[in-house]
Amino acid sequence: MRSVLFALILTLCGVSAVTAQTLQSILQTHATEIAKPSRKTVGETIDAIVASGLPHVTEFLEQWSKKNIWQRSDGSFFVATAAGDSLTLIDVDTQAKTIGSKSDFKQLKPNGGVRRLISTALVQFQLLDPDLTRRKTAVAAIARRPEAAQLMPLISSIDGERDAALKARKIQLANFLSARFAKEPRDRIAAINSLSTDTSVEARAVLNQILTKSIGVASVAPQGNIAAILDPMVAPDQSYNALVEAKLAPTKQTEIDIRKALEANIIEGRIAGFPLAQMDDRLTRETAYSALAIKGSVPTLITQEVRDAALREHVFYELYEEPNAQITAAAEVARKSADNRVATAQFADLALDALSLASIFFLAAIGLAITFGVMGVINMAHGEFIMIGAYTGYVVQLFIPNYTVAIFVALPLAFAVTFVAGVVMERLIISRLYHRPLETLLATFGVSIALQQLAKNMFGTQARPLTSPDWLAGAWVVNDVIQISFIRIAIFILALLFLSLIVYILKRTRLGLEVRAVTQNPGMASSMGINPDRINMMTFGLGSGIAGIAGVAIGLYAKVTSEMGSDYIVQSFMTVVVGGVGNVWGTLAGAAMIGFGQKWIEWLNPSNTLAAQTYMILFVILFIQFRPKGIVALKGRAAGD
Amino acid sequence: MQHTFMAKNPSVLWFLLGLSLFTVFVTIFSEAVGSTGVSTSFLKTLGKTLCLCLVAIAMDVVWGYCGILSLGHFAFFGIGGYAIGMWLMYERTKNIVVGSLENNILPPTPEEVEAAIGTQIFGVVGSSEFPLIWAASHSLTLQLLAVVIVPGMLALAFGWLAFRSRVTGVYLSILTQAMTLALSLYLFQNDTGLRGNNGLSGLQNIPGLEAVSQATLSLWFFWASALALGAGYVFFAWMLSGKFGSVIRAIRDNEARIRFLGYNVENYKLLIFTVTAMIAGIAGALYYPQAGIINPAEIAPIASIYLAVWVAIGGRGRLYGAVIGAVFVSLMSSWFTGGSAPDINLGFYLVKWTDWWLVLLGLTFVGVTFFFPKGVGGLFDLISNYREKHQ
Amino acid sequence: MSTLLEVSDVSVSFDGFKAINNLSIQIGDTELRAIIGPNGAGKTTFMDIVTGKTKPDEGYVIWGEKSSSLLDMSESQIAQAGIGRKFQKPTVFEEQTVRENITIALKNPRRPLDLLFSREAPNTENRVRAVSDDIGLTDALDQLSGALSHGQKQWLEIGMLLAQDPHLLLVDEPAAGMSETEREQTTDILVRAAKTRAVVVVEHDMEFVRRLNCRVTVLNQGSVLAEGSLDHVTKNQDVIDVYLGR
């Protein structure tokens, strides 16, 4: 706060000191420097112009850096725009327009270094500009390339800022700048400490800037803010290379170097007395090379002992660029704390990822949980129902160009299409194979390959897009680390919706009651007037229909291909089996376990989703050994063993 | 004892006779003996088909006889292929590398040779280091052992876990399928040391036999495949005859009952599962040198399901059924998808068999499950029943 | 008469339902015992526990002269220790011949490699004959057992039990679905078998139990309600209440 006041007083003094001048007269005072500016000396000139506090300083500086200032042969400066041979001139003080001929004028072309200095000087004006966009641009410019000189203008512009968001941004940026550039170490440390709770990429970049270090090697440790002394024996070869690069040691010969040197020194089929035929061994080669070195024909061989001796004689160190050790210490602490926060945030992000993966598994598996879990029917074509659902969505989008409408048409339509497909399959195939589970498995597999090939014949082998509407396209950004796309949120909500819908159907409706009755005792159920055929048909249709909806949801974030079903079928079966067959909550638990497990393994071994899947499957296989009935197991006679 | 076994199982003799006649017939018409009746590429197809028959009878034993619908036996088949492929690829690359290094002025050191082989083999996955699993790849003996032992150990470990916790029926099928999926995903990774999705290639070139023409090599492999199939058939027929076979079929029909008779069902299943996995490995080791290339896609779960399809179409619970199924479906597949089947013009639509064969196969499969649950082999029952009635 | 099987204080529950509640039963080494009781009394669960199919939540099951605990053994180990069981539904291996069914059951080494490498156990044929004579199926030895009548299947299953040569036979409703003459023959087989070993019969049919003429245990709600001769238990007021309702 004190520094803000100080800056304010400084500006006021500057203004009062030079009231009587015109801009042109100041320019004339520095005419040579302006006409031929050099990066090293122009600073004074710019300061003088800025200090004048005259109304059109900003325009002048802007036009100068845009190369729009022309000097007349009499030495006076004008803002000018060229059109053919003539120039439209604007007086720097009065802003009066005149026309002049190009031949009388010379254009000023300041170089890049000078232009940068000009724009730095401009920033303080732009920061106070009445136009909000220009202020924003100026702030963005500072953020892009922070410089020490911008700190004071930035701080002094904060109090006058009326836009609340921009003010906050200015304060944040001023904090970043003072962490790096404030004059007093105390101010810097205070700013640095405040960064320890900031997880943004910018704040971490500031800390990293402060903590920039260089790795060096010397015979004795140098003066300066040393971050660490390194042990060269951790990676001896690399350390030696650093030594070579610092010209403190001769290059170590590679195997190829040795071979070439030996080849160059063959005398009558022998190398240093050794016959050529013995050279098929590394040690012999080195011995021969050493013999050559003794004769002086090649440089001495850098053996491991020589290398290690050289390493021991030197100090390997990391040196901070920042000379003040207190500041680097504070920054290290702040970075560590920020890193911890980032790790926590990443963990939260991972958990969200896992949640959305679990939702997808759940959506893909819940239909199966009904057909396999409740009815005990293995449907290998379940994956193809997912595919049919996704293609239904694709076809709907071909006819309805509005994606929002298309999605809301596609969801029920996909349900209807796969429901019918499921009912047809149940009637034609599955109802004839009840109590022959292995045969059901194989017959539905036949359907699966036929459907897959049919889809290939109809839609081709390339992936088809299922585009999500714009309002689903973005992502929910919590901070720089945690963000999750809206599609995944939508899938999560869809999963929740289906969970409650299915629980409702099974527990609260007549259909659900009848389904449970048929599941538990078909004979008894049918003697009570429930038609098991109808129930099986409905249940199977329901399970298949949900697969269709899952297909639309999956198609939105992955591509629609004829093989997409087979990507999900094994996972889905595992989800159901792990969760515990015959139980919706089990499927939920299974999906959660597999989703979170897979993300967790990915976290341990990042950038390898294949490995994560592999280990997850192995884990599931092991899990089933120890809990063969799944997480939510039915006990006793109901388990049907 | 062998004598009585043969006498009790005349079908084995018939099978061996047929296989021998077929082998002789193919040999006479092969290019290797100067004929043009059977082209080398078709000879390879036939040889590969024999290997598929071998893995099919293994599948039949484990599923048709013991009732374990394993969706993992093609993975064991693939492992066998990988095991032999590693030696083939290592040794052949070594020969090439040694040949090219001979131009060097200095004789190469073992390290140089090894590094050059590594670069050759693993360059495609951006590596040149030999992974640990290649440690034995220089030794034919060790890799041949691996052909049997690796599938065997995997089956033993998996089976021990699964059978011990009484995972049965479709659960076991799904679990074996998960195992297969895990294995293929594992192989698909570049950093697991088996060249990721590039797989192992150039396996048709046998190191040390560069001078032998592909026509002759193919014939040798055909013979080896026929021999392996014959031996495998006799082995399984012997295994399944007598009381052991009776117990195995009893496990299929009622596992709980045979357990209460005092048989440790798990051990029997484990034995069958492991032995068939080993035979599948042998079949794979003979198949892939004839195919020339193996990659993880070969091991994908779908392949194991196809294996089950062959056995089901051929007729499970009888060894020759598996052979019929494998021959019939795999030859039909290559005929239809190879483009040699005539397209059908319906006027409004041209049925291209390359596009429609899988649809036909899928529907055939559904039909077989319904109408011929005993598969093609079931027709033999109908014939023999008919004969009995008319005698 | 020494004790062959001792079940003491055994309880087991499924999802909160107590199927067996503090059950204690002792069986002597050559004894014929009938266990009766209404539906859900725990008769089948009792057999499940003894044969190792169900593990009890608490209690002991002690077996034989060495007094070993059956709870640590698997089903096949228990069967090999000498306990044979016949299920309620006749479960024979229908796709195999009667001879194969009996041969499987014969008391011989049962490990896989034994079966693979020593094929013919000594005098198998004679032992199979002995069993088939006992159950009257010698003529049907080479028939598929799936082709047998219901009663014949029951006998074949009892025959398989006898072939195992167990010390204890657990027989679950042997007479279900049998004709009158078949029942009589079944009684004979069981009574004969009980001369050299212990036989426990679970049965609903009082007539059948009466003909067995043996000690009777009445189970109700998972524990023993009464024990003694049939006449003795049928006079017991508790038993009358359970069977006739209160």
Side-chain angles (χ1 to χ4, degrees):
Chain A
M1 203 58 223
R2 192 149 29 91
S3 50
V4 175
L5 273 177
F6 179 71
L8 220 65
I9 291 164
L10 214 139
T11 324
L12 288 173
C13 292
V15 169
S16 57
V18 285
T19 29
Q21 289 171 316
T22 63
L23 183 54
Q24 188 66 265
S25 67
I26 297 172
L27 295 182
Q28 289 312 314
T29 323
H30 301 277
T32 30
E33 188 59 45
I34 293 171
K36 278 210 177 315
S38 105
R39 192 169 56 85
K40 286 181 188 138
T41 51
V42 78
E44 242 173 77
T45 314
I46 296 173
D47 285 348
I49 298 171
V50 170
S52 72
L54 290 166
H56 300 297
V57 167
T58 330
E59 282 101 309
F60 174 77
L61 288 177
E62 275 175 9
Q63 297 303 336
W64 190 16
S65 86
K66 283 183 191 163
K67 302 179 188 171
N68 283 340
I69 300 296
W70 296 65
Q71 188 177 28
R72 202 158 58 192
S73 41
D74 69 348
S76 47
F77 297 98
F78 292 89
V79 179
T81 36
D85 273 347
S86 64
L87 288 172
T88 313
L89 302 166
I90 300 167
D91 190 279
V92 291
D93 285 305
T94 62
Q95 303 287 301
K97 276 191 187 172
T98 48
I99 304 288
S101 161
K102 234 181 182 176
S103 53
D104 289 345
F105 292 83
K106 212 178 131 227
Q107 190 181 10
L108 305 189
K109 289 177 178 170
N111 66 26
V114 173
R115 288 206 306 276
R116 200 155 65 238
L117 285 175
I118 299 172
S119 47
T120 310
L122 265 172
V123 159
Q124 57 182 298
F125 297 104
Q126 289 163 345
L127 284 172
L128 296 166
D129 201 284
D131 182 12
L132 178 63
T133 344
R134 293 188 65 156
R135 294 207 302 278
K136 277 187 178 163
T137 320
V139 169
I142 296 176
R144 217 167 28 244
R145 187 182 287 177
E147 280 175 38
Q150 293 156 339
L151 178 57
M152 290 322 273
L154 181 62
I155 291 176
S156 46
S157 76
I158 291 174
D159 273 356
E161 180 58 61
R162 269 164 299 163
D163 184 80
L166 190 59
K167 188 169 184 172
R169 175 72 179 138
K170 277 181 172 177
I171 291 172
Q172 186 192 28
L173 203 54
N175 203 21
F176 292 160
L177 285 181
S178 39
R180 285 181 64 189
F181 303 121
K183 284 215 174 62
E184 287 294 318
R186 220 170 3 157
D187 294 345
R188 290 187 64 185
I189 291 173
I192 288 170
N193 287 345
S194 73
L195 293 184
S196 63
T197 55
D198 196 335
T199 54
S200 71
V201 175
E202 256 185 326
R204 283 179 283 148
V206 168
L207 290 174
N208 287 336
Q209 285 280 356
I210 295 170
L211 289 170
T212 311
K213 31 190 182 183
S214 55
I215 294 174
V217 56
S219 6
V220 283
Q223 297 295 307
N225 186 3
I226 288 180
I229 300 289
L230 305 172
D231 178 9
M233 300 318 280
V234 174
D237 281 332
Q238 279 171 336
S239 308
Y240 191 83
N241 285 344
L243 215 53
V244 172
E245 252 170 59
K247 300 223 180 342
L248 292 169
T251 318
K252 185 176 194 289
Q253 298 86 348
T254 61
E255 308 249 314
I256 296 168
D257 294 337
I258 295 177
R259 199 186 75 213
K260 289 204 171 133
L262 293 175
E263 284 171 2
N265 283 288
I266 300 173
I267 303 164
E268 293 170 1
R270 284 173 170 268
I271 302 166
F274 292 92
L276 205 55
Q278 283 181 13
M279 289 300 141
D280 60 352
D281 180 74
R282 200 166 54 102
L283 286 176
T284 328
R285 283 188 183 186
E286 283 181 5
T287 320
Y289 184 92
S290 300
L292 286 177
I294 291 169
K295 279 201 277 176
S297 352
V298 292
T300 320
L301 179 67
I302 308 294
T303 57
Q304 197 161 316
E305 292 77 38
V306 177
R307 181 197 71 191
D308 292 352
L311 292 180
R312 272 193 298 273
E313 276 165 24
H314 292 89
V315 183
F316 292 78
Y317 57 85
E318 275 182 336
L319 189 67
Y320 287 120
E321 273 176 13
E322 169 63 50
N324 188 331
Q326 280 178 322
I327 288 176
T328 48
E332 286 286 2
V333 172
R335 184 163 71 175
K336 200 160 189 194
S337 134
D339 282 350
N340 282 343
R341 278 168 183 268
V342 168
T344 320
Q346 272 169 345
F347 190 77
D349 186 52
L350 198 76
L352 282 178
D353 260 11
L355 197 64
S356 76
L357 190 65
S359 317
I360 290 161
F361 285 153
F362 178 76
L363 266 185
I366 183 67
L368 202 67
I370 296 177
T371 52
F372 179 42
V374 178
M375 295 169 70
V377 164
I378 296 285
N379 179 12
M380 291 300 276
H382 185 79
E384 276 55 54
F385 287 151
I386 293 179
M387 171 198 76
I388 291 175
Y391 272 119
T392 309
Y394 165 71
V395 172
V396 167
Q397 281 197 344
L398 290 183
F399 289 99
I400 303 177
N402 183 328
Y403 290 144
T404 307
V405 179
I407 288 296
F408 284 101
V409 174
L411 284 173
L413 194 66
F415 182 88
V417 170
T418 46
F419 183 91
V420 172
V423 167
V424 168
M425 188 160 128
E426 201 276 340
R427 281 296 89 193
L428 288 184
I429 296 171
I430 289 167
S431 62
R432 304 181 184 205
L433 293 174
Y434 278 127
H435 309 299
R436 287 158 71 189
L438 291 183
E439 269 136 10
T440 316
L441 192 157
L442 290 169
T444 51
F445 170 71
V447 175
S448 156
I449 50 175
L451 283 178
Q452 241 182 59
Q453 186 60 42
L454 273 176
K456 218 173 270 178
N457 294 351
M458 282 167 76
F459 297 100
T461 44
Q462 75 269 44
R464 298 289 176 179
L466 189 56
T467 320
S468 54
D470 286 340
W471 49 271
L472 269 179
W476 178 44
V477 181
V478 179
N479 59 29
D480 280 357
V481 185
I482 307 176
Q483 48 184 306
I484 182 163
S485 67
F486 287 135
I487 290 191
R488 288 176 166 242
I489 297 177
I491 288 177
F492 176 67
I493 294 172
L494 205 61
L496 276 186
L497 218 65
F498 273 100
L499 175 66
S500 28
L501 184 72
I502 286 161
V503 170
Y504 175 78
I505 290 179
L506 285 181
K507 298 268 150 102
R508 291 273 182 275
T509 64
R510 177 80 198 165
L511 176 68
L513 185 71
E514 292 183 356
V515 167
R516 282 181 292 146
V518 172
T519 309
Q520 279 159 22
N521 193 337
M524 181 68 87
S526 69
S527 68
M528 294 180 74
I530 298 171
N531 179 355
D533 283 354
R534 192 185 68 90
I535 292 300
N536 284 334
M537 204 170 80
M538 292 297 287
T539 318
F540 204 83
L542 183 68
S544 310
I546 291 169
I549 288 185
V552 177
I554 291 171
L556 280 179
Y557 90 100
K559 284 271 188 285
V560 184
T561 66
S562 59
E563 278 150 11
M564 67 185 288
S566 44
D567 293 345
Y568 287 93
I569 188 75
V570 182
Q571 302 269 21
S572 303
F573 271 119
M574 285 197 306
T575 305
V576 176
V577 172
V578 161
V581 172
N583 191 310
V584 177
W585 299 110
T587 310
L588 186 68
M593 196 181 99
I594 292 181
F596 277 83
Q598 195 158 317
K599 280 290 162 191
W600 182 64
I601 299 170
E602 252 174 67
W603 181 62
L604 294 179
N605 177 16
S607 81
N608 201 340
T609 23
L610 276 185
Q613 280 183 25
T614 315
Y615 295 126
M616 195 58 222
I617 295 170
L618 290 183
F619 173 76
V620 166
I621 292 175
L622 278 178
F623 180 84
I624 291 175
Q625 313 305 324
F626 297 105
R627 263 192 98 88
K629 303 244 154 111
I631 301 172
V632 182
L634 301 173
K635 266 194 183 165
R637 288 191 175 173
D641 48 352
Chain B
M1 197 165 83
Q2 201 67 6
H3 177 75
T4 53
F5 157 69
M6 283 295 187
K8 276 183 194 165
N9 294 276
S11 73
V12 175
L13 280 177
W14 283 116
F15 179 80
L16 289 180
L17 186 66
L19 185 63
S20 321
L21 285 177
F22 175 67
T23 311
V24 171
F25 179 79
V26 170
T27 307
I28 291 172
F29 287 100
S30 72
E31 283 181 23
V33 295
S35 167
T36 52
V38 176
S39 72
T40 300
S41 71
F42 189 57
L43 182 61
K44 283 188 179 191
T45 307
L46 291 178
K48 287 191 288 183
T49 307
L50 292 181
C51 299
L52 295 178
C53 292
L54 181 55
V55 67
I57 56 174
M59 177 72 191
D60 192 20
V61 170
V62 80
W63 179 34
Y65 283 87
C66 197
I68 306 166
L69 176 49
S70 160
L71 298 179
H73 268 63
F74 216 81
F76 300 130
F77 183 83
I79 292 174
Y82 264 101
I84 198 67
M86 282 160 82
W87 176 79
L88 287 170
M89 199 158 177
Y90 178 89
E91 205 59 24
R92 175 155 180 273
T93 315
K94 185 179 174 184
N95 290 348
I96 293 171
V97 162
V98 168
S100 72
L101 287 180
E102 258 165 21
N103 300 332
N104 286 10
I105 303 169
L106 297 187
T109 63
E111 289 87 357
E112 281 176 335
V113 173
E114 199 78 341
I117 300 173
T119 316
Q120 280 286 321
I121 296 182
F122 301 110
V124 283
V125 289
S127 166
S128 60
E129 298 280 310
F130 267 94
L132 198 63
I133 43 171
W134 285 72
S137 58
H138 60 277
S139 158
L140 177 59
T141 324
L142 288 179
Q143 289 299 138
L144 281 178
L145 280 176
V147 162
V148 193
I149 288 174
V150 176
M153 291 305 283
L154 184 62
L156 192 69
F158 180 88
W160 185 77
L161 284 169
F163 300 141
R164 187 188 58 104
S165 50
R166 303 268 167 96
V167 180
T168 53
V170 290
Y171 293 89
L172 190 71
S173 304
I174 289 164
L175 218 54
T176 52
Q177 193 182 19
M179 176 198 77
T180 314
L181 182 66
L183 190 72
S184 71
L185 287 176
Y186 175 81
L187 289 173
F188 262 119
Q189 294 165 49
N190 280 343
D191 53 1
T192 46
L194 287 166
R195 295 180 20 120
N197 60 358
N198 304 291
L200 308 180
S201 54
L203 309 183
Q204 72 277 22
N205 307 297
I206 310 302
L209 297 178
E210 285 84 356
V212 183
S213 72
Q214 276 294 319
T216 314
L217 264 185
S218 306
L219 188 63
W220 289 356
F221 266 102
F222 177 77
W223 287 344
S225 309
L227 194 67
L229 177 60
Y233 196 95
V234 172
F235 171 72
F236 281 129
W238 168 77
M239 197 172 177
L240 294 167
S241 67
K243 197 168 161 188
F244 184 85
S246 173
V247 171
I248 292 299
R249 280 175 289 142
I251 289 174
R252 172 192 67 193
D253 293 337
N254 194 333
E255 191 178 317
R257 185 73 189 88
I258 194 85
R259 192 174 276 133
F260 286 114
L261 281 175
Y263 289 91
N264 189 326
V265 170
E266 287 68 42
N267 289 350
Y268 281 86
K269 283 184 171 180
L270 200 54
L271 185 76
I272 288 286
F273 197 67
T274 309
V275 167
T276 51
M278 289 165 139
I279 301 281
I282 294 175
L286 281 167
Y287 179 92
Y288 286 104
Q290 303 183 64
I293 182 165
I294 180 169
N295 61 47
E298 301 272 321
I299 290 177
I302 187 96
S304 289
I305 302 185
Y306 275 123
L307 186 57
V309 170
W310 299 340
V311 174
I313 287 185
R316 65 201 126 111
R318 58 188 90 217
L319 293 177
Y320 60 87
V323 172
I324 293 170
V327 170
F328 182 69
V329 182
S330 71
L331 287 186
M332 286 285 271
S333 269
S334 52
W335 188 62
F336 275 116
T337 55
S340 24
D343 294 342
I344 298 174
N345 196 341
L346 297 179
F348 58 93
Y349 185 83
L350 182 70
V351 178
K352 284 191 189 135
W353 281 117
T354 41
D355 287 344
W356 286 90
W357 156 242
L358 275 180
V359 180
L360 180 72
L361 179 66
L363 297 179
T364 310
F365 194 42
V366 177
V368 166
T369 351
F370 280 146
F371 306 112
F372 304 100
K374 289 182 169 180
V376 180
L379 294 177
F380 289 91
D381 285 358
L382 291 180
I383 295 168
S384 62
N385 282 352
Y386 179 82
R387 271 213 210 124
E388 265 174 33
K389 272 181 197 161
H390 288 260
Q391 262 170 12
Chain C
M1 189 173 77
S2 63
T3 309
L4 183 66
L5 176 76
E6 183 180 351
V7 175
S8 55
D9 302 327
V10 165
S11 296
V12 66
S13 58
F14 303 121
D15 289 332
F17 165 70
K18 278 224 162 185
I20 295 285
N21 190 6
N22 230 5
L23 176 74
S24 298
I25 291 182
Q26 290 189 358
I27 310 286
D29 58 6
T30 50
E31 186 186 350
L32 184 59
R33 172 80 63 93
I35 294 183
I36 60 173
N39 271 332
K43 300 174 305 243
T44 303
T45 312
F46 160 72
M47 287 198 167
D48 286 347
I49 287 171
V50 174
T51 52
K53 193 179 176 202
T54 302
K55 295 286 172 206
D57 301 331
E58 50 191 88
Y60 306 97
V61 182
I62 308 290
W63 165 255
E65 287 169 6
K66 290 181 192 158
S67 298
S68 44
S69 167
L70 289 182
L71 299 184
D72 308 327
M73 294 158 76
S74 71
E75 290 105 313
S76 55
Q77 282 169 331
I78 291 173
Q80 284 176 24
I83 297 180
R85 176 176 184 180
K86 195 198 95 54
F87 285 84
Q88 202 165 328
K89 261 201 287 181
T91 43
V92 295
F93 302 108
E94 307 214 343
E95 296 197 9
Q96 304 196 29
T97 60
V98 173
R99 184 193 306 279
E100 281 170 316
N101 268 287
I102 297 174
T103 314
I104 282 189
L106 277 181
K107 187 175 184 174
N108 276 324
R110 268 153 160 63
R111 281 174 309 175
L113 296 184
D114 295 332
L115 265 63
L116 261 186
F117 294 110
S118 50
R119 298 231 143 184
E120 289 291 317
N123 60 23
T124 302
E125 186 59 26
N126 289 344
R127 289 160 67 196
V128 170
R129 287 263 169 187
V131 172
S132 65
D133 287 345
D134 213 0
I135 54 172
L137 284 176
T138 306
D139 292 339
L141 268 180
D142 289 317
Q143 266 183 37
L144 280 185
S145 60
L148 297 178
S149 74
H150 181 82
Q152 285 175 317
K153 282 182 194 168
Q154 298 270 36
W155 291 337
L156 174 56
E157 204 179 354
I158 295 171
M160 287 164 74
L161 283 186
L162 296 175
Q164 268 179 278
D165 194 20
H167 301 299
L168 171 65
L169 256 171
L170 299 172
V171 189
D172 204 349
E173 301 201 11
M178 281 189 175
S179 70
E180 196 55 35
T181 44
E182 284 173 338
R183 276 163 195 250
E184 274 170 30
Q185 286 178 14
T186 308
T187 321
D188 291 346
I189 295 172
L190 291 176
V191 170
R192 229 180 303 140
K195 281 178 182 150
T196 50
R197 53 176 69 82
V199 176
V200 176
V201 182
V202 164
E203 190 47 82
H204 270 304
D205 182 5
M206 284 300 168
E207 269 312 301
F208 188 82
V209 174
R210 185 173 300 284
R211 218 166 351 191
L212 287 176
N213 189 23
C214 65
R215 199 172 164 83
V216 173
T217 302
V218 187
L219 290 190
N220 184 41
Q221 291 182 351
S223 41
V224 177
L225 194 64
E227 200 167 283
S229 69
L230 187 61
D231 290 333
H232 171 76
V233 296
T234 44
K235 283 180 192 128
N236 184 315
Q237 189 55 43
D238 289 340
V239 176
I240 295 168
D241 285 347
V242 165
Y243 270 89
L244 302 177
R246 262 170 275 206

